[in-house]
Amino acid sequence: MKSEHPFRWRLFLVIFCRYSGIALGALFLERIAHRLPLPVWLPATLLVTFALAIAIYLTLRFNRMTRNLAASIDSRSLHFAERQEAVLRGTPLAETARAWHNALQALQDGFQERQNEARRNYASLVDLITMLACAVDERAPHMRGHSERVAFYAGEIARELKIDSAQVERIRLAALLHDIGNVGIEDAILAKENALTPEEFEMVKAHTVKGASILRPIEALNDLIPGVELHHEALDGSGYPYGLVGDEIPVMARIIAVADSFDAMTTSRPYQAAMDSRYVLQVLGRMSGSRYDADAVQALATLVKRGTIVVRNLRPVISIRNRRRVAEVV
């Protein structure tokens, strides 16, 4: 749609008065020159000098206005644009300043709306992930709340390690989904109270790869895959599914591994009684550097000592028949 630009009467009057004043001044000087014994060239010289002074003044003023307006545009500052609109009001650049201010205001309003929409979408995504994690945990009574606790522990450990806040949130979400691959494992195996057979243990170990396969088609969650797929890897290469060693294991997976093992050992399950958190920290400490990341274990110990992480007395399971080996527990 074609925009309409009204005739600028104020600008017209300013220009008309200035140049008509110069013309009248020239005629006045010419009359004076005829009546007085003055050289003929004097009026012209005075007029040119006056015009030169006016031209220099207007040029410097216009340059200053355009320079300030350009600085306002470069800064992309709404406050600066608003101030320039007020300063340039009544000048030839007033319309440009007003248009820039309005455009910047519209951009900021649109950006704010997109941010609010992104926050709402992200909150919905987190709620969906949380519900999914809870649904996975509900398949076995002793797993109830496991993913949420691991997510909380992992997030606090990451914060203690001074990891960037955005990455802390991604680690927390990966921890929420770390057992999502359990949807592909039979209920009878997940809820089994006796020791797992070697075949069953292989099926359980596959939950890491299955979880990664579930997330892989979802591009927005691809950066969570290392935490889901590799949280059972060990620094010494004894973990699964790939037997990665040392720095081959991402920090996200190392942190979730410590959080996952801590929760597994401090909660009651059919195959083990809940262990005291101080004892669990000793166990993790003995295996830090070989199986677990030493910095993550130390951060967890600091958080427990400080009281940031508190292991609550959870409802014990009814029976504890046969203990599984440590590899199955953690």
Side-chain angles (χ1 to χ4, degrees), residues 121-173:
N121 292 339
Y122 183 77
S124 299
L125 177 63
V126 172
D127 290 342
L128 180 61
I129 289 175
T130 303
M131 287 190 295
L132 182 59
C134 290
V136 171
D137 289 349
E138 286 294 326
R139 295 184 62 206
H142 62 274
M143 295 291 288
R144 189 169 295 137
H146 169 68
S147 294
E148 289 184 285
R149 291 192 298 274
V150 172
F152 172 70
Y153 298 159
E156 292 301 320
I157 291 171
R159 262 187 282 272
E160 185 67 22
L161 293 174
K162 310 299 182 186
I163 293 176
D164 176 75
S165 59
Q167 184 63 10
V168 168
E169 178 63 10
R170 304 310 285 177
I171 291 172
R172 191 184 72 82
L173 292 180

Side-chain angles (χ1 to χ4, degrees), residues 72-107:
S72 172
I73 295 173
D74 288 340
S75 70
R76 297 177 178 86
S77 168
L78 183 62
H79 174 71
F80 200 178
E82 184 177 359
R83 189 174 65 182
Q84 283 302 302
E85 181 186 5
V87 170
L88 296 176
R89 189 173 291 120
T91 69
L93 295 176
E95 186 176 352
T96 303
R98 187 182 307 110
W100 170 244
H101 180 210
N102 293 339
L104 202 59
Q105 182 69 60
L107 284 173

Side-chain angles (χ1 to χ4, degrees), residues 27-284:
L27 292 174
F28 180 71
L29 288 175
E30 186 181 7
R31 286 298 184 99
I32 292 177
H34 280 299
R35 291 186 178 184
L36 298 177
L38 297 175
V40 178
W41 53 265
L42 183 60
T45 303
L46 292 175
L47 184 61
V48 170
T49 304
F50 178 74
L52 180 62
I54 292 295
I56 292 174
Y57 168 75
L58 293 177
T59 301
L60 292 176
R61 185 182 176 192
F62 189 77
N63 282 345
R64 184 171 64 253
M65 290 189 296
T66 54
R67 190 164 52 247
N68 290 338
L69 182 59
S72 172
I73 295 173
D74 288 340
S75 70
R76 297 177 178 86
S77 168
L78 183 62
H79 174 71
F80 200 178
E82 184 177 359
R83 189 174 65 182
Q84 283 302 302
E85 181 186 5
V87 170
L88 296 176
R89 189 173 291 120
T91 69
L93 295 176
E95 186 176 352
T96 303
R98 187 182 307 110
W100 170 244
H101 180 210
N102 293 339
L104 202 59
Q105 182 69 60
L107 284 173
Q108 187 178 66
D109 292 343
F111 177 73
Q112 188 65 43
E113 179 57 32
R114 286 193 296 274
Q115 272 196 325
N116 293 336
E117 184 179 358
R119 290 193 190 97
R120 290 192 294 269
N121 292 339
Y122 183 77
S124 299
L125 177 63
V126 172
D127 290 342
L128 180 61
I129 289 175
T130 303
M131 287 190 295
L132 182 59
C134 290
V136 171
D137 289 349
E138 286 294 326
R139 295 184 62 206
H142 62 274
M143 295 291 288
R144 189 169 295 137
H146 169 68
S147 294
E148 289 184 285
R149 291 192 298 274
V150 172
F152 172 70
Y153 298 159
E156 292 301 320
I157 291 171
R159 262 187 282 272
E160 185 67 22
L161 293 174
K162 310 299 182 186
I163 293 176
D164 176 75
S165 59
Q167 184 63 10
V168 168
E169 178 63 10
R170 304 310 285 177
I171 291 172
R172 191 184 72 82
L173 292 180
L176 262 177
L177 293 172
H178 78 285
D179 277 343
I180 191 177
N182 283 343
V183 299
I185 300 175
E186 297 177 8
D187 290 343
I189 296 177
L190 289 178
K192 186 175 181 180
E193 297 185 1
N194 299 326
L196 297 177
T197 65
E199 294 77 15
E200 291 171 336
F201 186 45
E202 288 301 317
M203 293 180 186
V204 170
K205 288 166 62 176
H207 80 280
T208 56
V209 177
K210 290 180 178 179
S213 298
I214 292 172
L215 296 184
R216 196 160 282 117
I218 309 173
E219 186 177 351
L221 301 180
N222 276 188
D223 61 333
L224 308 184
I225 290 176
V228 174
E229 188 172 22
L230 307 176
H231 68 277
H232 279 294
E233 295 285 359
L235 296 180
D236 59 6
S238 62
Y240 62 87
Y242 306 119
L244 302 181
V245 179
D247 291 338
E248 294 177 345
I249 307 171
V251 172
M252 174 185 284
R254 298 188 196 189
I255 291 174
I256 296 175
V258 172
D260 186 31
S261 297
F262 181 74
D263 186 68
M265 289 189 280
T266 54
T267 53
S268 294
R269 300 190 175 191
Y271 48 82
Q272 72 168 33
M275 305 177 195
D276 180 77
S277 60
R278 289 169 296 182
Y279 172 73
V280 172
L281 289 174
Q282 292 177 9
V283 174
L284 295 177

Side-chain angles (χ1 to χ4, degrees), residues 12-24:
F12 168 76
L13 289 174
V14 170
I15 296 175
F16 175 77
C17 291
R18 284 180 180 174
Y19 288 100
S20 61
I22 293 174
L24 291 174

